[in-house]
Amino acid sequence: MRQNSARPRPALSRRALLGTAVAGTAAAALLPGTASATGMDHPSEHPAVHPADRPSDDTAAAEVHTEFLHGWRGYTDHAWGYDEVCPVSRRHHDFFAPGHTFGLSIVEALDTLYLMGEDDELARGCDWIDANLDPVQNVSVEVFESIIRLVGGLLAGYLATGRPSLLDRVGELADRLLPAFTKSPTGIPYSHVNLRTGAVSGTMVALAQACTNVMEFGLLSDLTGDGRYYDVATRAYQAVVSRRSSLGLLGSTIHTETGRWIDVTSVAPNPPVDSFYEYLWSGSVLLGDPQLGSWYRELTAAIMRHQPVSVGGRLWFRSVDSATGRPVGAAAQSELGSFYAGLLAKGGDLTHGQAYFRTWSDVLARYPVLPETVDPATLAAVDKGSQLRPEYANAALDLWRLTGDDGYKDAAYRLFAGSRANQRVAEGYTVSGDVTVRGMLPGDLTPAYWFAENMKYQWLLFSGTPRFDYQNGILSTEGKVLSGLLHG
Ligand code: DMJ
């Protein structure tokens, strides 16, 4: 494996700070006593995990590489050419629809293979795609998942290899997804489209489904000179943002044909809206689109005015009615929201980003890996399962790149070690049924995003690979490097 003695030192980059400060003081002022309780008085503190027994960067990188290859061999030995591997039963799983494969784990792994120097495996994956990936199957697929996983994966593979056939394949696939956007009277895409017939379905869409596409479609327009993809993506954002409340807040689910809110609750940064906000900031930086950045700042300021709460001395985000700002319920908080620590920081609000990371670090201090959902008052696991999630490591990478604080490496390594000790099986890695019990009740799936995200974030943290631009590289919500893969 590739090792480097001269490791890049991350620092705040100009691009990373594009979205200048976001109403941090407003949030603190609205919540008397919150500042010190959330640690906002101590923004430079390390994350609140006990320093892990973390080895040297070279050793940690070698361990991550070994574990990636362990999972990859499980996939190639038992599920090659299928979407996902079931590493316990040694069978395969179709992600999009039974009986239809897109070789999802191959597509998801392409740029990770490149970053790890696994060039033979990368070429093998590209050969499979050239020979087998059919983007015109007679099947209805979820548009959101197809874009972040397949379109994004193929784009990152093209950027890694320069193979024109991969770009051709992305274009074919994207053209088959376009009816979800162009057939919608509002511009908000239907949730599903049949790749062969163009038939659309699914009129009730979550915000993440509606708009987590501008990075992939914008880049595709840049690379092909065909503006249709970027146009439909920005039209979808315009359609949603124009329906914000007088408080500047958005609901969570909307009707594609009427444009009416189905659920008016602002649940940010939890699903099902999470990456809606991520793509405003990241899309703005990747595509140089000031409108996306402006919407990010405006909408984030509204979230920070109405949703932060101090619970048990930690920063959480309560759900509120987007029209009135009144709190709604006492929902469990989703691990998926932990990515927001990195997004807030990238968008210019380092203080709250670090505080929110400490919140999730406190949760991780209680379990080997993060459970799916937790009670913010007690940190008790509500959904005790683990779907091998990558969001906390994603935030650790973002915050380390911004601050250079090695406490974020400690935090990420702790998650890596907890997963290795509990979710590693003979043929790879598996999701778990209960993180609170010994052995964690192994399930039987390596989600394809594990190849795209979990191991990539850890690798980038520890390897110092010269194949990545640590200053300016930009990753999608699915961990695809859409800018910043280096060659030579
Ligand atoms: C990934 O598919 C993406 O990160 C998505 O945005 C939400 N999270 C899953 C993995 O947990």
Side-chain angles (χ1 to χ4, degrees):
M1 70 170 274
R2 144 188 325 268
Q3 295 288 3
N4 302 290
S5 48
R7 295 184 178 283
R9 180 89 186 139
L12 291 167
S13 79
R14 192 182 59 76
R15 297 180 87 189
L17 283 172
L18 181 82
T20 51
V22 182
T25 48
L30 268 168
L31 297 163
T34 300
S36 92
T38 57
M40 296 171 201
D41 289 346
H42 310 287
S44 63
E45 274 181 6
H46 282 198
V49 287
H50 300 299
D53 252 346
R54 178 165 66 81
S56 71
D57 281 1
D58 283 352
T59 300
E63 291 177 2
V64 170
H65 194 188
T66 297
E67 295 313 303
F68 173 83
L69 290 178
H70 176 69
W72 182 244
R73 284 205 195 94
Y75 170 74
T76 59
D77 285 356
H78 303 293
W80 179 254
Y82 293 97
D83 284 339
E84 296 178 310
V85 64
C86 305
V88 175
S89 61
R90 304 181 182 190
R91 298 163 76 95
H92 59 81
H93 172 249
D94 299 319
F95 176 80
F96 290 94
H100 294 269
T101 182
F102 293 82
L104 180 62
S105 291
I106 298 172
V107 177
E108 296 251 37
L110 294 177
D111 61 339
T112 310
L113 290 166
Y114 176 74
L115 289 167
M116 291 190 176
E118 292 293 337
D119 295 346
D120 291 344
E121 288 302 295
L122 174 59
R124 182 183 175 208
C126 292
D127 290 346
W128 184 91
I129 291 166
D130 282 348
N132 299 291
L133 179 58
D134 178 5
V136 197
Q137 298 180 51
N138 187 11
V139 62
S140 180
V141 296
E142 187 172 345
V143 175
F144 159 72
E145 299 287 7
S146 302
I147 292 175
I148 66 170
R149 294 164 180 264
L150 294 173
V151 173
L154 292 168
L155 281 170
Y158 169 70
L159 295 175
T161 63
R163 274 205 196 201
S165 59
L166 293 182
L167 188 58
D168 293 345
R169 197 54 52 87
V170 189
E172 291 166 25
L173 177 61
D175 286 352
R176 297 289 168 162
L177 296 168
L178 277 179
F181 296 79
T182 56
K183 288 186 175 178
S184 164
T186 61
I188 300 166
Y190 292 89
S191 67
H192 287 73
V193 64
N194 182 299
L195 293 174
R196 181 163 302 166
T197 67
V200 294
S201 58
T203 52
M204 293 188 276
V205 299
L207 295 198
Q209 290 177 299
C211 295
T212 311
N213 46 57
V214 75
M215 294 182 74
E216 293 82 2
F217 272 13
L219 178 58
L220 183 57
S221 284
D222 279 355
L223 292 171
T224 60
D226 182 341
R228 288 177 303 154
Y229 314 108
Y230 186 48
D231 286 349
V232 297
T234 51
R235 184 167 171 247
Y237 255 131
Q238 173 75 51
V240 171
V241 175
S242 68
R243 289 168 169 85
R244 60 195 179 281
S245 75
S246 59
L247 300 179
L249 293 169
L250 299 169
S252 56
T253 315
I254 199 163
H255 198 286
T256 60
E257 292 174 344
T258 66
R260 294 221 175 89
W261 290 107
I262 293 161
D263 184 345
V264 296
T265 312
S266 177
V267 300
N270 288 280
V273 304
D274 39 8
S275 50
F276 174 93
Y277 297 97
E278 179 181 2
Y279 270 38
L280 286 172
W281 183 85
S282 298
S284 159
V285 180
L286 178 71
L287 306 167
D289 182 331
Q291 177 64 81
L292 296 176
S294 168
W295 283 334
Y296 174 79
R297 285 188 289 278
E298 181 190 338
L299 295 170
T300 303
I303 291 168
M304 297 307 289
R305 261 196 302 276
H306 296 284
Q307 296 189 236
V309 280
S310 173
V311 183
R314 301 182 187 90
L315 174 61
W316 290 104
F317 292 86
R318 65 186 173 194
S319 297
V320 299
D321 183 307
S322 57
T324 64
R326 287 201 198 98
V328 178
Q333 301 287 305
S334 170
E335 184 280 343
L336 288 158
S338 62
F339 86 98
Y340 200 55
L343 178 61
L344 279 175
K346 287 187 291 189
D349 188 351
L350 187 58
T351 301
H352 287 104
Q354 289 179 308
Y356 194 48
F357 191 83
R358 282 195 293 277
T359 293
W360 282 104
S361 297
D362 284 354
V363 181
L364 183 58
R366 296 203 172 192
Y367 309 100
V369 300
L370 291 172
E372 287 295 298
T373 63
V374 296
D375 178 338
T378 62
L379 306 191
V382 177
D383 177 344
K384 297 176 180 173
S386 160
Q387 295 298 311
L388 275 174
R389 296 289 184 187
E391 286 76 19
Y392 178 82
N394 188 356
L397 174 63
D398 287 344
L399 284 160
W400 174 73
R401 288 178 66 195
L402 285 165
T403 64
D405 183 341
D406 282 350
Y408 295 109
K409 287 184 175 177
D410 295 339
Y413 188 81
R414 183 188 181 98
L415 178 64
F416 169 75
S419 182
R420 182 175 56 181
N422 293 279
Q423 298 181 301
R424 189 185 210 269
V425 293
E427 301 303 321
Y429 271 72
T430 184
V431 299
S432 307
D434 188 342
V435 304
T436 68
V437 300
R438 198 178 183 77
M440 293 189 358
L441 294 186
D444 189 17
L445 182 70
T446 310
Y449 54 72
W450 187 86
F451 298 104
E453 297 194 72
N454 304 47
M455 294 297 101
K456 183 185 285 136
Y457 302 141
Q458 300 283 356
W459 176 252
L460 290 176
L461 273 162
F462 297 114
S463 70
T465 173
R467 292 187 168 192
F468 181 66
D469 178 349
Y470 280 84
Q471 290 292 312
N472 300 306
I474 301 170
L475 279 65
S476 75
T477 192
E478 192 75 1
K480 317 300 185 197
V481 183
L482 298 184
S483 174
L485 287 176
L486 301 179
H487 301 273

